[in-house]
Amino acid sequence: MAGLRVTPARHQGRERLYVTLPDGTSLAWYDREESRLSLVRPDREGDVLAALAPYVTGEVTVGPPPVPTPAELDRLSLHPDDDLAPNRPGEALYADLDAVPVSAAGRLLHRDARQDALAAQRQVGEVLDGLEGAGWRVLHAVPLPGAAFIDHLAIGPAGVLAVRTLSARKQRVRIADPMVRLGRSAPVPHVRWARRDAERASLALAVAVAPALVVVGPSRLETPASPPGPPDVRVLRDDELGTLGRLGGVLKPADVESVYAAARNRNTWIRA
């Protein structure tokens, strides 16, 4: 409509386009960052859009921003130091690697083992992060009291998983609950530790958490034939992780966001 004016301005650090009548009466404003149009006079929507057409490209959302959910409000109020979402896969191992000198042979082997563990956690973390499009939210290196960590916490339609990562590096892996034997090395109770991580996560989050053990790069993975693997622990090769994206039926999207909002708060884990 002829006569409407479009004036650029900044409001609280955001760039807006204000649409007004010639006498200065405000009809609407357009937020360029959100591509959202807020109307003061809804009956003039067509005129406002026509006036903005030379200044706007792409789709325009008309109406106020959606009301934040309780989970979003919790996230907005979370102090950055308490937010676990920025944690990288294997976050706890970076400092350990820096602290291990590369001098004696024993220390060098210890460093190599930590590097393999870090590479495995990064590989698993990358796959889990890729499940976001299937409705999953993921946290890495979740700290527990006593200097312990949950490698990955996956929250999605299939429920909540406490994921423990095991680097196999082309070795034969044999699982005999609760022990896991890697190559010719001595058995280690990884299955028991996976259960313990899930139990502590369930206590902290007040929801059911299932344990999962992801074996990265094994030449062969042997589990008990009946049932296949420990009955309560999901055992997966790293190339089977993508199957989680096809599972569902446990948590609705709103429940996923609610659990994720609690899980990303460092203070949640104090009682784990």
Side-chain angles (χ1 to χ4, degrees), residues 6-22:
V6 178
T7 306
R10 296 190 69 83
H11 177 76
Q12 296 182 350
R14 304 175 71 91
E15 188 175 354
R16 286 182 173 180
L17 295 175
Y18 286 89
V19 183
T20 62
L21 293 171

Side-chain angles (χ1 to χ4, degrees), residues 119-145:
Q121 290 195 32
R122 291 176 62 180
Q123 181 175 336
V124 170
E126 183 177 350
V127 176
L128 290 175
D129 287 340
L131 296 176
E132 184 173 347
W136 288 79
R137 306 302 296 271
V138 180
L139 294 168
H140 308 289
V142 176
L144 299 171

Side-chain angles (χ1 to χ4, degrees), residues 80-151:
D81 290 343
D82 293 328
D83 190 358
L84 301 178
N87 281 9
R88 300 168 293 180
E91 187 77 47
L93 292 174
Y94 285 95
D96 287 351
L97 279 169
D98 291 339
V100 177
V102 195
S103 51
R107 292 174 178 173
L108 183 58
L109 288 173
H110 178 71
R111 184 180 179 88
D112 286 345
R114 291 298 177 96
Q115 288 175 329
D116 288 345
L118 176 58
Q121 290 195 32
R122 291 176 62 180
Q123 181 175 336
V124 170
E126 183 177 350
V127 176
L128 290 175
D129 287 340
L131 296 176
E132 184 173 347
W136 288 79
R137 306 302 296 271
V138 180
L139 294 168
H140 308 289
V142 176
L144 299 171
F149 289 84
I150 297 175
D151 292 346

Side-chain angles (χ1 to χ4, degrees), residues 23 36 42 48 66 96 104-105 117 124 150 157 163 220 223 255 259 268:
D23 63 2
R36 183 178 297 277
V48 169
D96 287 351
V124 170
I150 297 175
V163 180
R220 184 175 178 182
T223 59
D255 297 327
V259 175
T268 297

Side-chain angles (χ1 to χ4, degrees), residues 31-47:
D31 188 313
R32 281 186 159 170
E33 292 183 23
E34 295 187 351
S35 298
R36 183 178 297 277
L37 177 65
S38 298
L39 294 165
V40 179
R41 292 275 303 274
D43 59 313
R44 304 295 293 271
E45 178 180 337
D47 297 334

